[in-house]
Amino acid sequence: MDAQGRGRADDIDPADQWVLNPNTGEYELRLTPSAAQSPVPRPRRSASGAAGATRAAGGAGGAVRSRTAPPEREVPGREVPPPRRRRGAPEEPLPGRRGRRPVKKKGKAKKALLWTGGVMAFVVLAAAAGAYFYIRHLNSNIDSVPDDGASTGGFQKDKAINILLIGTDKRTGSGNEGYGDAGSVGHADTTILLHVSKDRTNATALSIPRDLIVDIPDCPTTQEDGSQKVIPGSAGVRFNTSLGQDGRTPSCAMRTVTELTGVKPDNFMVADFNAVKTLTSAVGGVEVCLAKDIDDPDSHLKLAAGTHNIEGEQALAFVRTRHSVGFGGDLSRIELQQQFLSALMRKLKSNDTLTSPTKMVKLAEAGTEALTVDSALDSIGKLKDLGLELGKLNVKNLTFTTVPVIDNPAEKVKATVVVNETSAPQVFDMIKNDVSFTEVKQQKKKEAAAVAARLKGTKADASEVRVQILNGGAAAGSAQAQLLYLQNDEGVSKSENAGNAPKTLSKTTLEYAPDQADQARRLADIMGLSGSAMKPGESVTNAQGLPTMTLTLGKDFKGAGVKLNSSSAATPEGVQKSTADKVECAK
């Protein structure tokens, strides 16, 4: 039972005399009732609000036992003082007024932390939003047109890359009205097939002369309204008519390049006059060298001999000039353009550009505004991925060359050129087979040492070499021709023709078991195989049940008795070439 249920007042526990005053939040002493008093204790104060609160507290079923303040024992005739207010505690409110709950003040450090966190969150969100809208802005800059099925469908990170770069002479954009042919639909004025090796160690930039006589195939073309139209081909015409003329789009230039070289491009990029001006300005100009003074009224280039940093209109004039360099024709201009692109590549790869946010932003703006790309490169993300692949190149292994040509024998006045059938096919094959025009270290030091070790050691006699020959991509009849050469000229009598390989290889390989290493070294010596062409593995069993090595002739096989070099090939005699790391002065 509680205190009010007991029969005698003197049985009340003193601790039960302390009750909570809801108005003050403090425990107060309830006086012991006398016989004449009501069972409900009188309030200590006469204010009605306090009395009502005290009655509510005392009559709600008994007082609450205090655990914080021990009760004082009652002394007759002595007034019990009110509870003491703790130092620093808020003053007790007047009777009848509801006390205000004290508010805790946050520390200055906590406030600073919250403020800093809020500011940082805002900055991060603002930066993310800004980046999002800037990417949207860059995407909106990009113009793309369909490839009409002329490409491979887009470059892949694990394969060699072939990009067709086209500079058109169409006079689009502000500031280009003074260059003549204002109403021209444009041509493929400057065209380069850029091949990047599968391992990204080297690249070849093959220039295609605009006056080269080619056959343009029929070109299925997407019209502006989305409909399809086949533009008829033309035989024996200038290459530059593969774009613009008769409504031809970049996809038609792409088909023409495939017809000419046998290489199917993955993507294309078309640059107008503004591209040269804006890109060079974005990087702060490129350095070029002249071996003589040039004053060309046609291109508006006027420069003294020596080294110059050029950008904008002056850079455009530089790549357009031809009458004042070399023999004054398009082939001389191509060499000048290759020197300019080499300088641009060096500037793009320099720390001065790569570590400058301002230049990188300007490059992004200039590139997306001045280029037209195929539909597989129609976003900044896709262009970024391509840029990352191209960025792996070392400029010393980027070779510039030109399709080998001769003057057109059908012309009395030499105005056009035709393919040099003696050397051009080999150049095209080197690109198709991913063969570098420069010597390239394709492996790390440890890997290179292991590969080189395969060629070191004793060599078996040619009569002891047992090998089967497969054709894995070489010309038809190559396996039999090599078999006859090995048997008749090198004394490798234990050899046989095993027909076609199950898959095509770009490079010739020799697979052998560990106990056949001495035989493999002898055959490698005979054929000029590198260590990377030798594949330690397993032997196979020939028709007599004897273990034999397997020689698979790849696309790089050039004929019976011709020694191979899997890392690079000799450039055909007479083919012009230069590398992007060297500064050359235009003559």
Side-chain angles (χ1 to χ4, degrees):
M1 293 179 64
D2 60 21
Q4 295 197 39
R6 294 171 183 165
R8 296 177 56 186
D10 55 355
D11 291 334
I12 297 175
D13 187 343
D16 289 337
Q17 292 177 291
W18 290 86
V19 295
L20 177 69
N21 185 339
N23 290 327
T24 64
E26 301 287 348
Y27 285 94
E28 299 177 357
L29 183 64
R30 183 178 65 187
L31 298 178
T32 304
S34 63
Q37 288 177 324
S38 167
V40 180
R42 284 181 178 273
R44 183 166 51 86
R45 292 182 179 139
S46 60
S48 59
T54 305
R55 285 195 299 271
V64 180
R65 189 181 302 271
S66 172
R67 294 184 181 180
T68 58
E72 295 185 26
R73 298 188 65 86
E74 180 185 5
V75 179
R78 179 183 175 184
E79 184 178 353
V80 179
R84 295 180 180 178
R85 180 169 61 88
R86 295 187 302 273
R87 178 174 298 179
E91 293 186 4
E92 185 177 339
L94 294 175
R97 294 186 183 180
R98 182 176 298 274
R100 188 180 303 173
R101 182 171 296 175
V103 179
K104 294 183 179 180
K105 294 183 178 181
K106 297 175 181 176
K108 292 183 178 180
K110 190 171 184 180
K111 279 186 176 181
L113 180 62
L114 290 174
W115 171 252
T116 305
V119 171
M120 288 303 297
F122 176 79
V123 170
V124 170
L125 288 174
Y132 169 74
F133 285 112
Y134 186 65
I135 289 174
R136 285 188 62 184
H137 162 70
L138 292 178
N139 282 331
S140 68
N141 285 348
I142 300 172
D143 289 330
S144 66
V145 294
D147 68 354
D148 297 314
S151 75
T152 63
F155 78 95
Q156 297 182 42
K157 294 182 179 180
D158 58 345
K159 293 184 178 180
I161 298 175
N162 294 293
I163 306 293
L164 187 63
L165 307 174
I166 306 172
T168 177
D169 58 356
K170 187 176 181 179
R171 273 64 170 167
T172 56
S174 61
N176 298 322
E177 299 83 2
Y179 291 103
D181 296 335
S184 173
V185 294
H187 303 77
D189 196 49
T190 300
T191 305
I192 295 176
L193 177 62
L194 176 64
H195 171 83
V196 184
S197 67
K198 180 179 178 180
D199 60 9
R200 309 294 186 257
T201 61
N202 64 90
T204 302
L206 178 69
S207 293
I208 302 174
R210 68 176 190 177
D211 295 327
L212 176 64
I213 297 300
V214 296
D215 293 336
I216 299 176
D218 293 345
C219 298
T221 306
T222 302
Q223 305 300 299
E224 290 185 1
D225 61 1
S227 62
Q228 294 287 323
K229 177 183 177 181
V230 177
I231 300 176
S234 301
V237 296
R238 280 181 167 89
F239 175 83
N240 67 349
T241 61
S242 64
L243 175 67
Q245 308 303 303
D246 299 323
R248 295 185 177 110
T249 64
S251 66
C252 194
M254 188 177 277
R255 293 183 192 277
T256 306
V257 169
T258 303
E259 187 89 2
L260 171 68
T261 65
V263 179
K264 191 170 187 177
D266 302 305
N267 301 96
F268 64 72
M269 294 182 177
V270 182
D272 60 17
F273 271 14
N274 281 338
V276 174
K277 294 190 288 186
T278 56
L279 286 173
T280 53
S281 296
V283 297
V286 298
E287 190 174 280
V288 296
C289 181
L290 296 176
K292 62 180 181 180
D293 296 345
I294 291 183
D295 187 357
D296 187 349
D298 292 328
S299 68
H300 310 299
L301 180 66
K302 186 175 183 178
L303 285 175
T307 301
H308 302 272
N309 191 74
I310 60 174
E311 63 178 279
E313 294 287 348
Q314 197 173 45
L316 178 61
F318 185 88
V319 298
R320 293 185 67 243
T321 194
R322 57 173 174 161
H323 298 303
S324 300
V325 293
F327 296 104
D330 187 50
L331 295 179
S332 298
R333 185 181 68 159
I334 286 176
E335 292 186 24
L336 192 72
Q337 291 173 344
Q338 290 174 350
Q339 294 169 22
F340 172 82
L341 291 173
S342 295
L344 180 59
M345 284 294 296
R346 291 193 296 271
K347 192 61 176 284
L348 289 173
K349 295 278 286 183
S350 69
N351 289 333
D352 181 50
T353 299
L354 296 177
T355 59
S356 171
T358 301
K359 289 183 179 180
M360 296 304 290
V361 169
K362 287 182 178 179
L363 275 173
E365 289 284 352
T368 53
E369 286 181 353
L371 296 177
T372 297
V373 298
D374 65 271
S375 50
L377 284 178
D378 61 354
S379 73
I380 193 66
K382 295 173 183 176
L383 288 171
K384 177 207 69 175
D385 289 342
L386 177 59
L388 291 174
E389 295 301 309
L390 299 181
K392 298 175 183 178
L393 285 172
N394 188 322
V395 291
K396 72 178 182 179
N397 293 325
L398 169 57
T399 302
F400 285 92
T401 188
T402 305
V403 173
V405 296
I406 58 174
D407 289 332
N408 190 346
E411 295 176 338
K412 291 183 179 180
V413 178
K414 305 304 180 183
T416 62
V417 293
V418 296
V419 169
N420 185 335
E421 296 296 345
T422 301
S423 53
Q426 186 174 344
V427 170
F428 299 152
D429 284 344
M430 290 175 70
I431 294 176
K432 282 191 295 184
N433 297 327
D434 199 21
V435 177
S436 175
F437 280 64
T438 58
E439 291 288 344
V440 180
K441 293 180 180 180
Q442 300 186 21
Q443 294 148 320
K444 296 178 181 178
K445 290 183 178 180
K446 290 183 179 180
E447 295 172 339
V451 168
R454 297 171 190 169
L455 296 172
K456 297 178 180 179
T458 59
K459 301 181 182 68
D461 291 336
S463 59
E464 297 176 1
V465 175
R466 185 178 289 108
V467 61
Q468 67 171 14
I469 306 172
L470 297 173
N471 191 332
S478 293
Q480 184 61 27
Q482 182 67 9
L483 173 69
L484 295 175
Y485 168 77
L486 290 176
Q487 290 180 341
N488 298 331
D489 295 82
E490 297 294 343
V492 184
S493 57
K494 298 176 182 178
S495 52
E496 60 186 47
N497 182 355
N500 292 326
K503 62 180 181 179
T504 300
L505 300 179
S506 60
K507 296 178 180 179
T508 299
T509 62
L510 174 63
E511 185 174 4
Y512 57 95
D515 60 352
Q516 296 172 316
D518 56 345
Q519 297 181 43
R521 285 189 285 268
R522 173 57 65 191
L523 189 58
D525 183 61
I526 292 173
M527 295 188 61
L529 296 176
S530 68
S532 61
M534 300 172 67
K535 306 295 181 183
E538 299 179 353
S539 62
V540 295
T541 303
N542 63 10
Q544 291 76 38
L546 299 173
T548 182
M549 300 184 296
T550 300
L551 174 67
T552 305
L553 305 179
K555 291 181 178 180
D556 62 339
F557 182 76
K558 301 303 178 184
V562 179
K563 291 197 173 188
L564 296 168
N565 185 329
S566 62
S567 63
S568 65
T571 305
E573 186 176 351
V575 174
Q576 168 268 334
K577 71 173 185 177
S578 62
T579 54
D581 61 318
K582 297 178 181 178
V583 178
E584 298 186 13
C585 295
K587 299 177 181 179

